[in-house]
Amino acid sequence: KYSARREIYDSCKNVASFVKKIDPNLKYSEIVDKADEIYNKNIKEFEFNDDGPVNLFEIMESVVEEMGNNPQEECGLMGPYERINEIYGSLLLAGNISVVVARSGIGKTKLCMDYTTKTSAKYKIPVLHFDNGEMSEEELIFRQCSAMTGVPIYLLQSGKWRTSSYGEWSSEEVVRRVRSAWSKIKGMEFYYENVAGMSADEMCSYLKRFYYSKVGRGNPMIFSFDYIKTDFSTLGKIDGWQQVASMVHKFKQTIHRDLCFDGKPCVSMITSVQANRAGIT
């Protein structure tokens, strides 16, 4: 505990020294990124105490036997779809990225939103959702409410859910179903941020700051990103798939290394990519 206090104290002094001598021309995002880096560098090194490469076969017996001594019901955050769990296991393993690839309009966003929301409710874990500028927070609210209640989006968006029937449901039943969601969402955390125009580095920096301030070091979180796409302004200079690979790599570094405590990652990520002529190639 004394060592941890010393590391935190020294890190804060280093940040203070950096801020005092800062170049006034430095961008706001660069100031925050550098302060984050300085503060977390010593603490991360203190936690890791990395002694270099590990011989996996040397520790295999002890790791496997230890798991046998303490069997777990689940490995990772198991989602709401039994068939996917049987085939793939968890799509939300801490430190990993699951990427859903499909054509436009197939339902990538709907799948990811439903998967993360239900998994978040099951484990009581917060979700941070980045949107690439294609959906407003209001649109996402109506989508979430529709998914939870079965009431169609158009009734929610128009405000007619209090006076309209739907199929075999009377208007009273529609109202009951909508209002049944209020008790379900109490205590749930689904944070939305529009990241349109941000670079991958800026998004990773925001992700780290959000995690430290809202979730807390060492606590689990689900990160949902809708969706990875090409920056068309750079096409011709950088291949579209190279851009996708670069962005995935930066996110992977962030959740697998930067947001890793006691040697274990804490954040799992799910995202999507459009596989069609208009989207990527």
Side-chain angles (χ1 to χ4, degrees):
K1 197 182 291 186
Y2 283 111
S3 298
R5 287 168 59 184
R6 184 174 61 248
E7 292 296 340
I8 292 170
Y9 179 75
D10 289 341
S11 294
C12 289
K13 283 204 303 182
N14 291 337
V15 171
S17 176
F18 160 70
V19 172
K20 279 185 178 180
K21 301 173 184 175
I22 206 165
D23 180 351
N25 297 316
L26 213 58
K27 292 181 182 176
Y28 165 76
S29 58
E30 293 173 334
I31 295 172
V32 175
D33 286 348
K34 187 63 179 174
D36 275 345
E37 181 186 331
I38 293 170
Y39 178 77
N40 287 292
K41 181 176 183 292
N42 288 350
I43 297 173
K44 196 165 78 172
E45 288 176 355
F46 168 72
E47 288 177 333
F48 275 131
N49 192 22
D50 189 2
D51 293 323
V54 176
N55 181 351
L56 298 183
F57 290 134
E58 188 178 322
I59 63 173
M60 179 186 288
E61 180 181 343
S62 62
V63 170
V64 175
E65 291 289 352
E66 177 62 25
M67 289 302 295
N69 293 336
N70 300 282
Q72 301 174 12
E73 290 296 322
E74 297 178 342
C75 183
L77 306 174
M78 301 303 287
Y81 315 134
E82 289 186 17
R83 188 62 178 144
I84 286 182
N85 293 340
E86 290 172 5
I87 298 171
Y88 300 108
S90 172
L91 298 185
L92 293 171
L93 289 171
N96 282 13
I97 302 177
S98 291
V99 185
V100 179
V101 184
R103 289 185 179 275
S104 177
I106 291 295
K108 299 183 295 296
T109 298
K110 198 169 186 177
L111 171 68
C112 292
M113 292 270 290
D114 192 60
Y115 193 95
T116 55
T117 302
K118 288 177 178 173
T119 306
S120 165
K122 178 180 178 181
Y123 293 96
K124 296 181 170 41
I125 292 174
V127 177
L128 173 62
H129 179 80
F130 279 3
D131 186 271
N132 228 327
E134 300 203 355
M135 286 194 195
S136 67
E137 59 184 68
E138 194 173 75
E139 286 178 282
L140 291 177
I141 285 172
F142 290 133
R143 277 188 174 226
Q144 290 280 49
C145 188
S146 177
M148 288 180 164
T149 62
V151 175
I153 290 179
Y154 73 85
L155 287 182
L156 298 169
Q157 287 178 320
S158 65
K160 294 179 179 178
W161 59 271
R162 290 185 183 174
T163 56
S164 300
S165 58
Y166 174 66
E168 297 178 354
W169 298 346
S170 64
S171 58
E172 290 81 6
E173 175 63 11
V174 172
V175 171
R176 187 195 69 77
R177 285 178 174 267
V178 171
R179 288 182 172 159
S180 70
W182 307 160
S183 60
K184 295 178 187 175
I185 61 176
K186 277 186 178 174
M188 289 180 65
E189 297 175 89
F190 191 96
Y191 296 94
Y192 162 89
E193 182 66 27
N194 186 337
V195 294
M198 282 192 190
S199 67
D201 289 325
E202 288 171 330
M203 284 187 268
C204 288
S205 176
Y206 187 95
L207 168 61
K208 286 187 281 188
R209 293 201 302 276
F210 175 89
Y211 179 81
Y212 293 134
S213 63
K214 283 281 189 182
V215 181
R217 183 180 295 269
N219 295 320
M221 185 185 84
I222 297 170
F223 173 45
S224 169
F225 179 43
D226 185 28
Y227 60 93
I228 294 176
K229 63 180 182 179
T230 299
D231 179 359
F232 289 102
S233 66
T234 62
L235 280 181
K237 302 173 187 175
I238 305 173
D239 179 75
W241 285 109
Q242 283 182 317
Q243 291 185 38
V244 170
S246 174
M247 185 177 288
V248 170
H249 174 71
K250 287 174 179 177
F251 279 128
K252 178 72 173 179
Q253 292 286 94
T254 299
I255 67 170
H256 193 73
R257 292 189 179 181
D258 296 345
L259 300 178
C260 184
F261 307 102
D262 262 349
K264 296 179 181 178
C266 302
V267 176
S268 48
M269 177 177 175
I270 190 166
T271 185
S272 54
V273 173
Q274 271 194 28
N276 61 3
R277 291 179 184 175
I280 297 297
T281 58

